[in-house]
Amino acid sequence: MYLDKEPIDFQADVVEASRSRPVVVDFWAAWCAPCRILGPILEKLAGDAGDSWTLVKLNTDLQQEIAAQYKIRGIPAVKMFLNGEVAGEFVGALPETQVRQWLNDHLPGAAKEALAVAEGALKKGDTSTAMVKAREVLDNGDVDPNLEKQATIILAEASFPTDPEESRKLAARFESGDLFFDRAEVVLTRYDLEKGELPEDEDSLARKLYTEGIKLWRAGNRDEAVEKLIESLGEDRRCMDDAARKAIIGIFHILGEEHETTLKYRPRFASTLF
C-alpha cells in the first residue's frame, strides 16, 4: 500500500501506523536524481504487497526537522518502522532485486515468527515445539528458500534424539557454502559420534586413537574421549578427512561452550590445531 500525501503527519502516518503494520519511509527530494530511480521501484513493490506494509514518502525539503531527527545525511534513504521504532534501513538507489531482498530480510511474517519460536525452543531443549514450528514452515510450500533452509536445519537438530537417521538425511541436504552448512556439519558429526560405523582398519596410530576416542564417548567418558581425539589429531590431522577435528567440534557443540569438558580442552584443542 502506498500512502500518497504530502506533507505527511509523521507521528500518525509512520510511528503510530507502524504499530499495526510495517511502514517503509522513503526520504527523498525532487532535485535528487537517484530518488527518481528508487521511488518507482518502492511504489511498485508497495502496490504488489497489498496491505502487508505501507510506503510513505517524506520530502526532506518540506520536512527538514523530521529528516534531521532521523539523521538523514544522504538521499534516497529508506527506513522501515515496526512498533514505532526503526527496524531496518539502507541508503542509495538499490536495484529492485536488492530492495526485494531487503524487504524479505526485514518484514515480519508467519514463517519468520514460527522459526523464531523454533530457535528459542531448541535452545531450551524443547525439541517437540521446535519440530512442530519447523514443520509448519516446511508444510507451507511457498516460503523464502533461506527460511526453508533454516526450518530444515532446525528439524534436523531437533529430531536427532528420537530419529537420528532422519536427522542425518535432513543434514545431508546441505552443501558447502549453503546457509546453515556449519550447523548441518555438526549434525552429521554427531551422527558419526553416536551412530556411525567405526573404522575396521586401524593400521595407523591416528586411526586407532580416533576409534578409542569414539568408543570412550559412547561409553560416557567425555574427558577421556576428547583426550584420545586430540591425540589422534596431533598424530595425523588428515586422517579420515579430518575426522578427529570434526568429532571434537561436534562434542563441544553437544556439551555447550560452558561445559567443564569444553572449557578444559578447548585451549589444548586450539594449540594442537595451530
Side-chain angles (χ1 to χ4, degrees), residues 231-260:
E231 288 179 34
S232 173
L233 183 66
E235 182 66 25
D236 181 4
R237 174 169 175 170
R238 295 172 298 175
C239 179
M240 297 185 299
D241 190 26
D242 215 8
R245 181 189 66 83
K246 293 176 182 177
I248 295 166
I249 291 174
I251 287 172
F252 290 164
H253 180 82
I254 293 166
L255 296 178
E257 288 300 319
E258 300 304 316
H259 192 278
E260 58 183 0

Side-chain angles (χ1 to χ4, degrees), residues 18-34:
S18 72
R19 302 190 192 282
S20 57
R21 69 162 60 95
V23 177
V24 174
V25 182
D26 176 17
F27 292 85
W28 73 291
W31 51 262
C32 167

Side-chain angles (χ1 to χ4, degrees), residues 66-79:
I66 299 296
Q69 179 183 344
Y70 285 92
K71 298 180 173 59
I72 303 301
R73 295 184 175 88
I75 54 174
V78 176
K79 295 180 185 288

